[in-house]
Amino acid sequence: MNAPDPHDAPLTLVTGASGYIGGRLVPALLEAGFRVRAMARHADRLEDRPWRGQVEVVEADVGDPASLQAALDGVDVAYYLIHAMGGGRSFADRDRQGARSFAEAAAQADVERIVYLGGIHPEGVELSAHMASRKEVGDILLAGAVPAVVLRAAVILGSGSASFEIMRHLSERLPVMIAPQWLRNRIQPLAVRDVLHYLVGAARLEGAPNRTFDIGGPDVLTFAELLQAYARAAGLPQRRILTVPVLTPRLASHWIGLVTPVPTGIARPLVESLIHESVAAETDLRGLVPDPEGGLTGVDRAIELALARIRELDVATAWHSATPAGAPSSPLPEDPEWSGGIVRGDERQRHVDASPETLWAVIEGIGGRRGWYSWRLGWISRGLMDRVVGGPGLRRGRRHPDRLAVGDALDWWRVERLERGRLLRLRAEMRVPGQAWLELGVQEAEGGGAILYQRAIYHPHGLLGDLYWWAVWPFHGIVFGGMQRNIARAAEDVPSDRRSAVAGAGSGTGTGYDTDTDTDTDTDTDTDTDTEETA
């Protein structure tokens, strides 16, 4: 019998392919035998994904309906995995318009099914703004001409998920917690591997179902009990949790923003989802999609798998994988015409007595646990200030300790351009009255060694932006001068017999997770787990 033609396999479109779920769904669909078209606002942010060569990549944005035509052409099943978490005051309008544009474009392209991942919520209660928006997106897709399968999940447990990182850092850092009373509400967590199982299964459902399905794991417990479950898996003493009725979601999200890597803007919708119980009201999908081999993953096993992934630096995607809509990426404000006549900058260069390859390895390994090679106290203080006002601070860390990719979060920066061995451009995502970039470049020097180029660029917004620049200007010599000297010294201090190994450290293709640059309170664990499983 002839093998089936892979070109006859259904074509799936994965929107949000650079995000946490989308980046994991792509390889899951490939493994299941589907053809995959991955959609992102910036296609270059998918270049380093291990599955890049197996999929078609299309650049499109639901905010630009015209760009959706090519993305949806010939698609059988379209996954809608877009939601403006922490997306500013107008996020609901963007979500609403994006869903409408996508539903209309899918109908014009004769797509057979749309699959959407939303959140479990009780009926008949007033929902938070973010939960209401997610529900509205599902309702818009269900009301469209293309049949939609809307999956609703509660807390997702997996390495790198925002929910898991909140749980992990609260448990590890706070042996005693004063928590809101609604931490005792029941939730039904679901392992990320089981979320992917149901998402893939949704593409194979027979007929043309147009409805919601609640999906949940085998355990129903409270978030407080979930924190204790993490403590057990991590080998920590049981946490003491004192609940009080006065801690509002706003206060709780600010506290989470200070204690965990997840900033306030992302933490708040997650916290607000805990105000109500999140338990599946029905299990209809289990009758249509067989359970995964071995059954659904329990909470304890899901936590063990996630910890193993983190320990092995094998975290495929993280909560900060996707960049927010509308984030600036180009053009770089290199001339007064772009910026209205005002561009501030600090530019330096230095000869380094090391090979360009060794110097580049130091540059590509910057941030995360290694820090920023200058005035550590200043960076930590600025990171704390950023977290107080809801920014990412320094705790996002790195995806991998040695290797970067375009789109990666790097502490409070985002990798905007990467020419491996030559140029690294970072865009600041800290709270600042303007836009800021940092460039680090390498060039081979005549006569041996390398030239290190360093440039900081700032485009101020209004008078406040200018005042900010001049307020920090006296520290530039300490920060940027020290950074350049110490990067050069780090490259020069690599022993000659190790320089080839150091230069090759950033050439791997694995992924990982490296966080907590402004604290030393991480706890190593020795959980015996099967690291080949998805978490």
Side-chain angles (χ1 to χ4, degrees):
M1 182 180 295
N2 294 330
D5 186 347
H7 294 92
D8 292 337
L11 176 61
T12 59
L13 174 72
V14 178
T15 66
S18 63
Y20 179 73
I21 293 294
R24 297 185 182 215
L25 178 60
V26 168
L29 287 167
L30 290 171
E31 185 178 356
F34 291 92
R35 290 182 295 143
V36 179
R37 180 181 293 161
M39 175 180 136
R41 291 194 307 273
H42 306 284
D44 57 350
R45 290 174 183 163
L46 302 178
E47 284 301 317
D48 280 8
R49 299 300 174 100
W51 39 260
R52 172 62 182 86
Q54 304 175 62
V55 306
E56 177 189 352
V57 172
V58 61
E59 197 168 88
D61 187 345
V62 296
D64 177 14
S67 69
L68 295 175
Q69 296 176 7
L72 287 162
D73 182 43
V75 166
D76 299 296
V77 178
Y79 287 89
Y80 192 78
L81 303 174
I82 297 173
H83 181 60
M85 289 282 285
R89 295 180 180 178
S90 61
F91 75 91
D93 291 335
R94 293 201 306 273
D95 276 351
R96 182 182 306 114
Q97 189 54 51
R100 287 173 177 167
S101 297
F102 192 81
E104 292 170 2
Q108 293 173 5
D110 293 325
V111 172
E112 296 177 8
R113 176 175 300 164
I114 295 174
V115 180
Y116 171 66
L117 180 62
I120 289 179
H121 56 81
E123 301 296 335
V125 299
E126 183 178 356
L127 301 175
S128 68
H130 275 271
M131 286 300 294
S133 179
R134 297 186 75 172
K135 178 182 183 301
E136 183 183 19
V137 167
D139 291 343
I140 289 171
L141 298 177
L142 289 169
V146 177
V149 174
V150 175
L151 305 184
R152 305 194 305 185
V155 172
I156 296 176
L157 295 180
S159 56
S161 78
S163 299
F164 184 81
E165 287 304 299
I166 288 174
M167 175 185 68
R168 179 165 80 100
H169 286 79
L170 288 177
S171 293
E172 290 189 350
R173 294 195 169 116
L174 300 175
V176 179
M177 303 177 216
I178 298 176
Q181 199 166 21
W182 33 264
L183 219 63
R184 303 291 183 184
N185 289 342
R186 296 183 308 153
I187 56 175
Q188 192 171 359
L190 185 64
V192 66
R193 62 202 307 260
D194 294 333
V195 174
L196 298 175
H197 173 78
Y198 282 129
L199 284 169
V200 173
R204 292 174 164 157
L205 292 176
E206 295 184 3
N210 188 62
R211 56 161 291 185
T212 64
F213 293 94
D214 287 353
I215 55 175
D219 301 316
V220 176
L221 68 171
T222 68
F223 196 83
E225 291 171 334
L226 193 58
L227 293 173
Q228 301 290 18
Y230 178 88
R232 288 195 305 271
L236 301 171
Q238 288 294 283
R239 289 7 221 161
R240 186 173 180 81
I241 301 175
L242 308 175
T243 58
V244 295
V246 294
L247 199 57
T248 66
R250 180 184 293 272
L251 289 174
S253 58
H254 277 292
W255 175 242
I256 288 172
L258 290 173
V259 175
T260 80
V262 182
T264 301
I266 301 296
R268 186 169 182 184
L270 296 174
V271 168
E272 289 174 339
S273 69
L274 298 174
I275 295 177
H276 307 294
E277 294 199 337
S278 297
V279 178
E282 42 82 15
T283 58
D284 295 353
L285 193 60
R286 295 188 70 178
L288 303 173
V289 176
D291 285 349
E293 185 177 352
L296 296 175
T297 309
V299 163
D300 291 340
R301 182 61 175 157
I303 294 173
E304 290 173 357
L305 288 169
L307 284 172
R309 288 294 189 188
I310 292 170
R311 187 173 61 248
E312 298 297 326
L313 296 177
D314 192 20
V315 180
T317 60
W319 60 269
H320 48 62
S321 296
T323 54
S329 57
S330 63
L332 186 71
E334 306 219 33
D335 57 78
E337 209 172 298
W338 185 94
S339 63
I342 303 175
V343 174
R344 310 297 185 191
D346 181 285
E347 191 166 351
R348 302 165 189 263
Q349 69 179 59
R350 183 186 188 93
H351 182 271
V352 181
D353 186 19
S355 70
E357 294 78 14
T358 300
L359 176 58
W360 175 258
V362 174
I363 289 174
E364 192 171 4
I366 200 168
R369 295 189 184 279
R370 293 188 181 100
W372 291 87
Y373 293 97
S374 70
W375 198 26
R376 178 175 171 80
L377 179 60
W379 282 88
I380 292 175
S381 300
R382 183 63 181 87
L384 290 173
M385 291 169 57
D386 192 54
R387 295 195 71 80
V388 167
V389 296
L394 296 177
R395 286 205 182 112
R396 291 192 307 189
R398 299 172 50 104
R399 181 178 58 89
H400 188 278
D402 300 313
R403 186 176 175 84
L404 293 173
V406 172
D408 274 359
L410 177 58
D411 292 329
W412 64 46
W413 305 91
R414 179 78 59 175
V415 179
E416 184 168 276
R417 184 175 177 184
L418 180 67
E419 299 176 22
R420 188 155 279 110
R422 198 184 79 83
L423 176 68
L424 172 65
R425 178 188 295 163
L426 305 173
R427 172 172 47 81
E429 292 186 338
M430 71 182 89
R431 295 297 179 92
V432 60
Q435 295 171 297
W437 287 261
L438 174 64
E439 283 188 344
L440 296 168
V442 177
Q443 183 175 321
E444 187 174 1
E446 293 184 10
I451 301 297
L452 167 62
Y453 291 95
Q454 179 179 296
R455 181 168 65 149
I457 304 168
Y458 179 64
H459 172 219
H461 288 176
L463 177 60
L464 184 60
D466 247 346
L467 292 175
Y468 173 84
W469 170 262
W470 293 115
V472 300
W473 182 80
F475 301 101
H476 286 182
I478 300 174
V479 174
F480 297 125
M483 177 185 293
Q484 188 182 63
R485 288 192 302 272
N486 292 327
I487 288 176
R489 186 177 299 127
E492 292 169 345
D493 286 348
V494 175
S496 57
D497 60 345
R498 290 192 62 247
R499 288 189 177 183
S500 60
V502 170
S507 62
T509 58
T511 57
Y513 203 49
D514 180 25
T515 61
D516 307 331
T517 59
D518 56 352
T519 180
D520 295 316
T521 58
D522 269 6
T523 302
D524 292 327
T525 62
D526 293 312
T527 309
D528 182 17
T529 61
D530 177 6
T531 58
E532 293 301 310
E533 296 186 67
T534 300

